[in-house]
Amino acid sequence: VCAWFSQWNDTERDQFIRLVLLPKVVPHKLFAQCSVMCLGPETLRAEKDNTLFQQQVAAFESVFTDWDVTTRNEFCHRLEEIDPIIMKTFGELIAQTVGEP
């Protein structure tokens, strides 16, 4: 997944942290940003014309829930090594959820 992340463009990285990763790290929150990416891997797999990015996101979605906390933290650390700026944004997005219902 880190190899994919390193190859994604800035827009794909932003979509990934906002629409895929953030809801997994901060579950049970509703986020204002939503698109087809929010619909989950079942929808992504159902589409015949998925982009490579969408296929990779679907693969990520299928394995992330099986990872333990240590693996998830290591994953985020590795993403930070690849793109510290987007992961700083990710940290800020997490901080914004503190105190929200």
Side-chain angles (χ1 to χ4, degrees):
V1 178
C2 291
W4 297 337
F5 186 81
S6 69
Q7 295 173 0
W8 292 338
N9 63 41
D10 290 343
T11 301
E12 291 168 334
R13 289 179 185 187
D14 187 70
Q15 286 179 340
F16 179 74
I17 66 156
R18 290 176 189 273
L19 304 176
V20 179
L21 194 57
L22 185 62
K24 292 188 176 339
V25 173
V26 187
H28 311 299
K29 302 261 183 169
L30 294 177
F31 295 96
Q33 314 91 344
C34 198
S35 73
V36 70
M37 299 301 292
C38 293
L39 300 176
E42 296 81 16
T43 301
L44 292 174
R45 278 192 228 108
E47 297 294 325
K48 291 182 180 179
D49 297 327
N50 285 341
T51 65
L52 177 59
F53 171 69
Q54 290 170 321
Q55 292 171 10
Q56 291 169 335
V57 166
F60 169 79
E61 296 253 11
S62 70
V63 299
F64 183 82
T65 55
D66 295 334
W67 292 353
D68 61 24
V69 172
T70 302
T71 303
R72 292 176 183 193
N73 288 338
E74 182 181 319
F75 171 68
C76 287
H77 178 70
R78 291 182 65 202
L79 295 184
E80 187 174 19
E81 290 173 347
I82 295 167
D83 189 341
I85 295 170
I86 196 75
M87 293 309 287
K88 180 180 181 215
T89 299
F90 178 63
E92 292 167 353
L93 290 169
I94 292 171
Q96 290 174 8
T97 67
V98 174
E100 289 183 3

